[in-house]
PDB file of all heavy atoms in Angstrom:
ATOM      1  N   THR A  63      -8.690 -36.422  28.937  1.00 87.00           N
ATOM      2  CA  THR A  63      -9.363 -36.949  27.806  1.00 87.00           C
ATOM      3  C   THR A  63      -9.554 -38.434  27.918  1.00 87.00           C
ATOM      4  O   THR A  63     -10.678 -39.067  27.665  1.00 87.00           O
ATOM      5  CB  THR A  63      -8.493 -36.571  26.558  1.00 87.00           C
ATOM      6  OG1 THR A  63      -8.429 -35.140  26.453  1.00 87.00           O
ATOM      7  CG2 THR A  63      -9.258 -37.150  25.326  1.00 87.00           C
ATOM      8  N   PHE A  64      -8.399 -39.166  28.347  1.00 90.00           N
ATOM      9  CA  PHE A  64      -8.600 -40.525  28.543  1.00 90.00           C
ATOM     10  C   PHE A  64      -9.678 -41.103  29.428  1.00 90.00           C
ATOM     11  O   PHE A  64     -10.452 -41.966  29.195  1.00 90.00           O
ATOM     12  CB  PHE A  64      -7.238 -41.207  29.000  1.00 90.00           C
ATOM     13  CG  PHE A  64      -7.302 -42.541  29.247  1.00 90.00           C
ATOM     14  CD1 PHE A  64      -7.184 -43.573  28.411  1.00 90.00           C
ATOM     15  CD2 PHE A  64      -7.370 -42.961  30.682  1.00 90.00           C
ATOM     16  CE1 PHE A  64      -7.164 -44.970  28.784  1.00 90.00           C
ATOM     17  CE2 PHE A  64      -7.457 -44.412  31.102  1.00 90.00           C
ATOM     18  CZ  PHE A  64      -7.341 -45.326  30.143  1.00 90.00           C
ATOM     19  N   LEU A  65      -9.837 -40.345  30.486  1.00 89.00           N
ATOM     20  CA  LEU A  65     -10.683 -40.810  31.554  1.00 89.00           C
ATOM     21  C   LEU A  65     -12.056 -40.447  31.179  1.00 89.00           C
ATOM     22  O   LEU A  65     -13.123 -41.183  31.451  1.00 89.00           O
ATOM     23  CB  LEU A  65     -10.517 -40.008  32.902  1.00 89.00           C
ATOM     24  CG  LEU A  65      -9.207 -40.546  33.703  1.00 89.00           C
ATOM     25  CD1 LEU A  65      -8.896 -39.504  34.836  1.00 89.00           C
ATOM     26  CD2 LEU A  65      -9.234 -41.966  34.076  1.00 89.00           C
ATOM     27  N   GLY A  66     -12.317 -39.490  30.308  1.00 88.00           N
ATOM     28  CA  GLY A  66     -13.789 -39.069  29.865  1.00 88.00           C
ATOM     29  C   GLY A  66     -14.325 -40.276  29.145  1.00 88.00           C
ATOM     30  O   GLY A  66     -15.488 -40.669  29.504  1.00 88.00           O
ATOM     31  N   GLY A  67     -13.757 -40.860  28.113  1.00 89.00           N
ATOM     32  CA  GLY A  67     -14.340 -41.886  27.287  1.00 89.00           C
ATOM     33  C   GLY A  67     -14.255 -43.141  28.039  1.00 89.00           C
ATOM     34  O   GLY A  67     -15.261 -43.969  28.032  1.00 89.00           O
ATOM     35  N   TYR A  68     -13.128 -43.555  28.722  1.00 92.00           N
ATOM     36  CA  TYR A  68     -12.968 -44.757  29.462  1.00 92.00           C
ATOM     37  C   TYR A  68     -13.962 -44.870  30.544  1.00 92.00           C
ATOM     38  O   TYR A  68     -14.584 -46.000  30.690  1.00 92.00           O
ATOM     39  CB  TYR A  68     -11.534 -44.924  29.830  1.00 92.00           C
ATOM     40  CG  TYR A  68     -11.171 -46.301  30.357  1.00 92.00           C
ATOM     41  CD1 TYR A  68     -10.873 -47.239  29.487  1.00 92.00           C
ATOM     42  CD2 TYR A  68     -11.309 -46.555  31.785  1.00 92.00           C
ATOM     43  CE1 TYR A  68     -10.564 -48.555  30.050  1.00 92.00           C
ATOM     44  CE2 TYR A  68     -10.889 -47.818  32.154  1.00 92.00           C
ATOM     45  CZ  TYR A  68     -10.659 -48.839  31.361  1.00 92.00           C
ATOM     46  OH  TYR A  68     -10.398 -50.102  31.852  1.00 92.00           O
ATOM     47  N   CYS A  69     -14.157 -43.825  31.303  1.00 92.00           N
ATOM     48  CA  CYS A  69     -15.049 -43.943  32.462  1.00 92.00           C
ATOM     49  C   CYS A  69     -16.489 -44.188  31.959  1.00 92.00           C
ATOM     50  O   CYS A  69     -17.299 -44.826  32.645  1.00 92.00           O
ATOM     51  CB  CYS A  69     -14.918 -42.709  33.341  1.00 92.00           C
ATOM     52  SG  CYS A  69     -13.369 -42.563  34.238  1.00 92.00           S
ATOM     53  N   LEU A  70     -16.784 -43.434  30.960  1.00 91.00           N
ATOM     54  CA  LEU A  70     -18.131 -43.639  30.410  1.00 91.00           C
ATOM     55  C   LEU A  70     -18.498 -45.094  29.911  1.00 91.00           C
ATOM     56  O   LEU A  70     -19.528 -45.722  30.205  1.00 91.00           O
ATOM     57  CB  LEU A  70     -18.431 -42.745  29.187  1.00 91.00           C
ATOM     58  CG  LEU A  70     -19.800 -42.820  28.510  1.00 91.00           C
ATOM     59  CD1 LEU A  70     -20.939 -42.470  29.438  1.00 91.00           C
ATOM     60  CD2 LEU A  70     -19.894 -41.847  27.159  1.00 91.00           C
ATOM     61  N   ALA A  71     -17.398 -45.748  29.132  1.00 91.00           N
ATOM     62  CA  ALA A  71     -17.577 -47.030  28.865  1.00 91.00           C
ATOM     63  C   ALA A  71     -17.736 -48.000  30.027  1.00 91.00           C
ATOM     64  O   ALA A  71     -18.546 -48.914  29.973  1.00 91.00           O
ATOM     65  CB  ALA A  71     -16.343 -47.422  27.988  1.00 91.00           C
ATOM     66  N   GLN A  72     -16.890 -47.782  30.997  1.00 92.00           N
ATOM     67  CA  GLN A  72     -17.030 -48.700  32.160  1.00 92.00           C
ATOM     68  C   GLN A  72     -18.304 -48.552  32.986  1.00 92.00           C
ATOM     69  O   GLN A  72     -18.907 -49.489  33.534  1.00 92.00           O
ATOM     70  CB  GLN A  72     -15.812 -48.413  33.170  1.00 92.00           C
ATOM     71  CG  GLN A  72     -14.510 -48.675  32.337  1.00 92.00           C
ATOM     72  CD  GLN A  72     -14.376 -50.036  31.717  1.00 92.00           C
ATOM     73  OE1 GLN A  72     -14.792 -51.048  32.385  1.00 92.00           O
ATOM     74  NE2 GLN A  72     -13.729 -50.152  30.641  1.00 92.00           N
ATOM     75  N   ALA A  73     -18.784 -47.188  32.918  1.00 91.00           N
ATOM     76  CA  ALA A  73     -20.082 -46.936  33.631  1.00 91.00           C
ATOM     77  C   ALA A  73     -21.257 -47.614  33.000  1.00 91.00           C
ATOM     78  O   ALA A  73     -22.042 -48.146  33.696  1.00 91.00           O
ATOM     79  CB  ALA A  73     -20.321 -45.370  33.657  1.00 91.00           C
ATOM     80  N   LEU A  74     -21.143 -47.767  31.622  1.00 92.00           N
ATOM     81  CA  LEU A  74     -22.238 -48.569  30.975  1.00 92.00           C
ATOM     82  C   LEU A  74     -21.990 -50.081  31.037  1.00 92.00           C
ATOM     83  O   LEU A  74     -22.983 -50.751  31.432  1.00 92.00           O
ATOM     84  CB  LEU A  74     -22.110 -48.194  29.481  1.00 92.00           C
ATOM     85  CG  LEU A  74     -22.611 -46.724  29.119  1.00 92.00           C
ATOM     86  CD1 LEU A  74     -22.536 -46.449  27.621  1.00 92.00           C
ATOM     87  CD2 LEU A  74     -24.190 -46.641  29.471  1.00 92.00           C
ATOM     88  N   ASP A  75     -20.806 -50.649  30.727  1.00 90.00           N
ATOM     89  CA  ASP A  75     -20.540 -52.000  30.640  1.00 90.00           C
ATOM     90  C   ASP A  75     -20.579 -52.659  32.212  1.00 90.00           C
ATOM     91  O   ASP A  75     -21.147 -53.706  32.331  1.00 90.00           O
ATOM     92  CB  ASP A  75     -19.281 -52.407  29.951  1.00 90.00           C
ATOM     93  CG  ASP A  75     -19.161 -52.021  28.613  1.00 90.00           C
ATOM     94  OD1 ASP A  75     -20.405 -51.968  27.942  1.00 90.00           O
ATOM     95  OD2 ASP A  75     -18.219 -51.861  27.952  1.00 90.00           O
ATOM     96  N   ARG A  76     -19.915 -51.959  33.075  1.00 91.00           N
ATOM     97  CA  ARG A  76     -19.804 -52.612  34.448  1.00 91.00           C
ATOM     98  C   ARG A  76     -20.943 -52.025  35.373  1.00 91.00           C
ATOM     99  O   ARG A  76     -21.014 -52.682  36.423  1.00 91.00           O
ATOM    100  CB  ARG A  76     -18.412 -52.395  34.977  1.00 91.00           C
ATOM    101  CG  ARG A  76     -17.291 -52.966  34.272  1.00 91.00           C
ATOM    102  CD  ARG A  76     -15.971 -52.791  34.972  1.00 91.00           C
ATOM    103  NE  ARG A  76     -14.878 -53.411  34.062  1.00 91.00           N
ATOM    104  CZ  ARG A  76     -13.605 -53.383  34.708  1.00 91.00           C
ATOM    105  NH1 ARG A  76     -13.364 -52.803  35.874  1.00 91.00           N
ATOM    106  NH2 ARG A  76     -12.681 -53.866  33.958  1.00 91.00           N
ATOM    107  N   GLY A  77     -21.541 -51.045  35.028  1.00 90.00           N
ATOM    108  CA  GLY A  77     -22.493 -50.367  35.877  1.00 90.00           C
ATOM    109  C   GLY A  77     -23.897 -50.584  35.393  1.00 90.00           C
ATOM    110  O   GLY A  77     -24.586 -51.586  35.694  1.00 90.00           O
ATOM    111  N   PHE A  78     -24.331 -49.562  34.629  1.00 91.00           N
ATOM    112  CA  PHE A  78     -25.879 -49.521  34.355  1.00 91.00           C
ATOM    113  C   PHE A  78     -26.381 -50.707  33.476  1.00 91.00           C
ATOM    114  O   PHE A  78     -27.294 -51.230  33.883  1.00 91.00           O
ATOM    115  CB  PHE A  78     -26.125 -48.224  33.538  1.00 91.00           C
ATOM    116  CG  PHE A  78     -25.610 -46.971  34.353  1.00 91.00           C
ATOM    117  CD1 PHE A  78     -24.702 -46.071  33.863  1.00 91.00           C
ATOM    118  CD2 PHE A  78     -26.249 -46.662  35.545  1.00 91.00           C
ATOM    119  CE1 PHE A  78     -24.320 -44.962  34.604  1.00 91.00           C
ATOM    120  CE2 PHE A  78     -25.791 -45.696  36.197  1.00 91.00           C
ATOM    121  CZ  PHE A  78     -24.967 -44.706  35.780  1.00 91.00           C
ATOM    122  N   LEU A  79     -25.597 -51.163  32.495  1.00 90.00           N
ATOM    123  CA  LEU A  79     -26.121 -52.336  31.634  1.00 90.00           C
ATOM    124  C   LEU A  79     -25.893 -53.560  32.380  1.00 90.00           C
ATOM    125  O   LEU A  79     -26.649 -54.608  32.104  1.00 90.00           O
ATOM    126  CB  LEU A  79     -25.189 -52.360  30.303  1.00 90.00           C
ATOM    127  CG  LEU A  79     -25.430 -51.275  29.434  1.00 90.00           C
ATOM    128  CD1 LEU A  79     -24.607 -51.390  28.103  1.00 90.00           C
ATOM    129  CD2 LEU A  79     -26.806 -51.048  29.021  1.00 90.00           C
ATOM    130  N   ALA A  80     -24.984 -53.621  33.431  1.00 89.00           N
ATOM    131  CA  ALA A  80     -24.937 -54.786  34.248  1.00 89.00           C
ATOM    132  C   ALA A  80     -25.835 -54.830  35.411  1.00 89.00           C
ATOM    133  O   ALA A  80     -25.632 -55.742  36.373  1.00 89.00           O
ATOM    134  CB  ALA A  80     -23.382 -55.072  34.619  1.00 89.00           C
ATOM    135  N   GLY A  81     -26.660 -53.726  35.680  1.00 89.00           N
ATOM    136  CA  GLY A  81     -27.526 -53.684  36.757  1.00 89.00           C
ATOM    137  C   GLY A  81     -26.789 -53.210  37.863  1.00 89.00           C
ATOM    138  O   GLY A  81     -27.355 -53.164  39.025  1.00 89.00           O
TER     139      GLY A  81
END
Side-chain angles (χ1 to χ4, degrees):
T63 301
F64 170 80
L65 290 174
Y68 189 82
C69 290
L70 177 62
Q72 300 305 317
L74 289 174
D75 290 337
R76 298 186 181 184
F78 302 117
L79 296 179

